[in-house]
Amino acid sequence: MKKESTVRKKHARGKSDFLENKTYVYPIRNWKEYLGESFLIIFSVLLALGVTEYIGKIHEKENTKTILKSVADELRRNKKALVEMQDYNLKVFAKIDSALTDKKIQKKLVYNDEFHLDVIAPEGIQYRYLENAAWTIAKNNNIMSKIDIESVSILTRVYGDQDRIGKIEDEVGKIIFDRASRDPKQVRKTLFLIKDNYRGWVVDRVSGMFIEIDSALAKIGKY
């Protein structure tokens, strides 16, 4: 037993001496190697940022196309509505002209202290309403910073004219709700005022809007 213990001690002591006497070689790295590693780290970071930015631009471009497509669809619907509106307004014009020369129609128009709008405008003052939801969403998504100035300008004009057309309801409403419109002696004056408002707010504006809408569709169709 003593002999075996002695052998183990010698073995352990020999191993310890080996570890103490072993020479370790540490690699020496020069500045070029450190610079190379630093460059690789910086390059990796910049590459990741670049890829992220590129993907972001792709998503932004696709989002812009989607928004502009919605605006284009809205403009096409509004153009169709304008055609129907203009046809109706010209019929209102014709009825007003008939009323101006026919006292029987004038008596129907103002009867029992009431102004009967349906005599000249059977479908109401504003036959069609124009949409602007897609344009509102586009502006909320800062679309003006993503398209050229000419596109912004034409779209702003189109929707501005749409808003002006929408005023016809309020303006004609002011006339027929006025007490003077109930006076049979002022029927002709009331009819002229209504006709002038239709002409100023809608009829004379629509023909130009067809051109504006076509120009807007051509502009945003490039995106």
Side-chain angles (χ1 to χ4, degrees), residues 56-84:
K57 286 183 177 180
I58 291 177
H59 288 162
E60 183 178 338
K61 187 175 181 179
E62 289 299 318
N63 186 52
T64 299
K65 288 178 65 175
T66 300
I67 290 173
L68 289 177
K69 183 181 182 302
S70 296
V71 172
D73 290 342
E74 183 172 79
L75 288 175
R76 292 187 186 96
R77 291 192 299 272
N78 286 344
K79 184 179 179 180
K80 180 182 178 182
L82 283 169
V83 172
E84 296 171 352

Coordinates of all heavy atoms in Angstrom, one line a residue, residues 56-84:
G56 N -36.9 49.1 -46.2 CA -37.8 50.1 -45.8 C -38.3 50.9 -47.0 O -39.5 51.3 -47.2
K57 N -37.3 51.2 -47.9 CA -37.7 52.0 -49.1 C -38.6 51.2 -50.1 O -39.5 51.8 -50.7 CB -36.4 52.4 -49.9 CG -35.7 53.6 -49.2 CD -34.4 54.0 -50.0 CE -33.7 55.1 -49.4 NZ -32.5 55.6 -50.1
I58 N -38.4 49.9 -50.2 CA -39.3 49.1 -51.0 C -40.7 49.1 -50.4 O -41.7 49.3 -51.1 CB -38.7 47.7 -51.1 CG1 -37.4 47.6 -51.9 CG2 -39.8 46.7 -51.7 CD1 -36.8 46.3 -51.9
H59 N -40.8 48.9 -49.1 CA -42.1 49.0 -48.5 C -42.8 50.3 -48.6 O -44.0 50.4 -48.9 CB -42.0 48.6 -47.0 CG -41.6 47.2 -46.7 ND1 -41.1 46.8 -45.5 CD2 -41.7 46.1 -47.5 CE1 -40.9 45.5 -45.6 NE2 -41.3 45.0 -46.8
E60 N -42.0 51.4 -48.5 CA -42.5 52.7 -48.6 C -43.0 53.0 -50.1 O -44.1 53.6 -50.3 CB -41.5 53.8 -48.3 CG -42.0 55.2 -48.3 CD -40.9 56.2 -47.9 OE1 -40.0 55.8 -47.2 OE2 -41.0 57.4 -48.3
K61 N -42.3 52.5 -51.0 CA -42.7 52.6 -52.4 C -43.9 51.9 -52.7 O -44.8 52.4 -53.4 CB -41.5 52.1 -53.4 CG -41.8 52.4 -54.8 CD -40.5 52.0 -55.6 CE -40.8 52.3 -57.1 NZ -39.6 51.9 -57.9
E62 N -44.0 50.7 -52.2 CA -45.2 49.9 -52.4 C -46.5 50.5 -51.8 O -47.6 50.5 -52.3 CB -45.0 48.4 -51.9 CG -44.1 47.6 -52.7 CD -44.5 47.4 -54.1 OE1 -45.8 47.2 -54.3 OE2 -43.7 47.5 -55.0
N63 N -46.2 51.1 -50.6 CA -47.3 51.7 -49.8 C -47.8 53.0 -50.6 O -49.0 53.2 -50.7 CB -46.8 52.2 -48.5 CG -47.9 52.7 -47.6 OD1 -49.0 52.1 -47.4 ND2 -47.7 53.9 -47.0
T64 N -46.8 53.7 -51.2 CA -47.2 54.9 -52.0 C -48.0 54.5 -53.2 O -49.0 55.1 -53.5 CB -45.9 55.6 -52.4 OG1 -45.2 56.1 -51.3 CG2 -46.2 56.8 -53.3
K65 N -47.6 53.4 -53.9 CA -48.3 52.9 -55.0 C -49.8 52.5 -54.7 O -50.7 52.8 -55.4 CB -47.6 51.7 -55.7 CG -46.3 52.1 -56.4 CD -45.6 50.9 -57.0 CE -46.5 50.2 -58.1 NZ -45.7 49.1 -58.7
T66 N -49.9 51.9 -53.5 CA -51.2 51.4 -53.1 C -52.1 52.6 -52.8 O -53.3 52.7 -53.2 CB -51.1 50.6 -51.8 OG1 -50.3 49.4 -52.1 CG2 -52.5 50.1 -51.3
I67 N -51.5 53.6 -52.1 CA -52.3 54.8 -51.8 C -52.7 55.6 -53.0 O -53.9 56.0 -53.2 CB -51.5 55.8 -50.9 CG1 -51.3 55.1 -49.5 CG2 -52.1 57.1 -50.7 CD1 -50.4 55.9 -48.6
L68 N -51.8 55.7 -54.0 CA -52.1 56.5 -55.2 C -53.1 55.7 -56.1 O -53.9 56.3 -56.8 CB -50.8 56.7 -56.0 CG -49.9 57.7 -55.4 CD1 -48.6 57.8 -56.2 CD2 -50.5 59.1 -55.3
K69 N -53.1 54.4 -56.0 CA -54.1 53.6 -56.7 C -55.5 53.9 -56.2 O -56.5 54.0 -56.9 CB -53.8 52.1 -56.6 CG -54.7 51.2 -57.4 CD -54.4 49.8 -57.3 CE -55.4 48.9 -58.2 NZ -56.8 49.1 -57.8
S70 N -55.6 54.0 -54.8 CA -56.8 54.3 -54.2 C -57.3 55.7 -54.6 O -58.5 55.9 -54.9 CB -56.7 54.2 -52.7 OG -56.4 52.9 -52.2
V71 N -56.4 56.6 -54.7 CA -56.8 58.0 -55.1 C -57.2 58.0 -56.6 O -58.2 58.6 -56.9 CB -55.5 59.0 -55.0 CG1 -55.9 60.3 -55.6 CG2 -55.2 59.1 -53.5
A72 N -56.5 57.2 -57.4 CA -56.9 57.1 -58.8 C -58.3 56.5 -59.0 O -59.1 57.0 -59.8 CB -55.9 56.3 -59.6
D73 N -58.6 55.5 -58.2 CA -59.9 54.8 -58.3 C -61.0 55.8 -57.8 O -62.1 55.9 -58.4 CB -59.9 53.6 -57.4 CG -59.1 52.4 -57.9 OD1 -58.8 52.5 -59.2 OD2 -58.7 51.5 -57.2
E74 N -60.7 56.6 -56.8 CA -61.6 57.6 -56.3 C -61.9 58.7 -57.3 O -63.0 59.1 -57.5 CB -61.1 58.2 -55.0 CG -62.0 59.2 -54.3 CD -61.4 59.7 -53.0 OE1 -60.5 60.5 -52.9 OE2 -61.9 59.1 -52.0
L75 N -60.8 59.1 -58.0 CA -61.0 60.1 -59.1 C -61.9 59.6 -60.2 O -62.7 60.4 -60.8 CB -59.6 60.6 -59.6 CG -58.8 61.4 -58.6 CD1 -57.4 61.7 -59.2 CD2 -59.5 62.8 -58.3
R76 N -61.7 58.4 -60.6 CA -62.5 57.8 -61.7 C -64.0 57.7 -61.3 O -64.8 58.0 -62.1 CB -62.0 56.4 -62.0 CG -60.6 56.4 -62.7 CD -60.2 55.0 -63.2 NE -58.9 55.0 -63.7 CZ -57.8 54.6 -62.9 NH1 -58.0 54.2 -61.7 NH2 -56.6 54.6 -63.5
R77 N -64.2 57.4 -60.0 CA -65.6 57.3 -59.5 C -66.2 58.8 -59.5 O -67.4 59.0 -59.9 CB -65.7 56.7 -58.1 CG -65.4 55.2 -58.1 CD -65.8 54.6 -56.8 NE -65.1 55.2 -55.6 CZ -63.9 54.7 -55.2 NH1 -63.3 53.7 -55.8 NH2 -63.3 55.3 -54.2
N78 N -65.4 59.7 -59.1 CA -65.9 61.1 -59.1 C -66.1 61.7 -60.5 O -67.0 62.4 -60.7 CB -64.8 62.0 -58.3 CG -64.9 61.7 -56.8 OD1 -65.8 61.1 -56.3 ND2 -63.8 62.2 -56.1
K79 N -65.3 61.2 -61.4 CA -65.5 61.7 -62.8 C -66.8 61.2 -63.3 O -67.6 61.9 -64.0 CB -64.3 61.2 -63.7 CG -64.4 61.7 -65.1 CD -63.2 61.2 -65.9 CE -63.4 61.7 -67.4 NZ -62.2 61.3 -68.2
K80 N -67.1 59.9 -63.0 CA -68.4 59.4 -63.5 C -69.5 60.1 -62.8 O -70.6 60.5 -63.4 CB -68.5 57.9 -63.1 CG -69.8 57.2 -63.5 CD -69.8 55.8 -63.0 CE -71.1 55.1 -63.4 NZ -71.2 53.7 -62.9
A81 N -69.4 60.4 -61.5 CA -70.4 61.2 -60.8 C -70.6 62.6 -61.3 O -71.7 63.1 -61.4 CB -70.0 61.3 -59.3
L82 N -69.5 63.2 -61.8 CA -69.5 64.6 -62.4 C -70.3 64.6 -63.7 O -71.1 65.5 -64.0 CB -68.1 65.1 -62.6 CG -67.4 65.6 -61.4 CD1 -65.9 65.9 -61.7 CD2 -68.0 66.9 -60.8
V83 N -70.1 63.5 -64.5 CA -70.9 63.4 -65.7 C -72.4 63.3 -65.4 O -73.2 64.0 -66.1 CB -70.5 62.1 -66.5 CG1 -71.4 61.9 -67.7 CG2 -69.0 62.2 -67.0
E84 N -72.8 62.5 -64.4 CA -74.2 62.4 -64.1 C -74.7 63.7 -63.5 O -75.8 64.1 -63.7 CB -74.4 61.2 -63.1 CG -74.0 59.9 -63.7 CD -74.0 58.8 -62.7 OE1 -74.1 59.1 -61.5 OE2 -73.8 57.6 -63.0

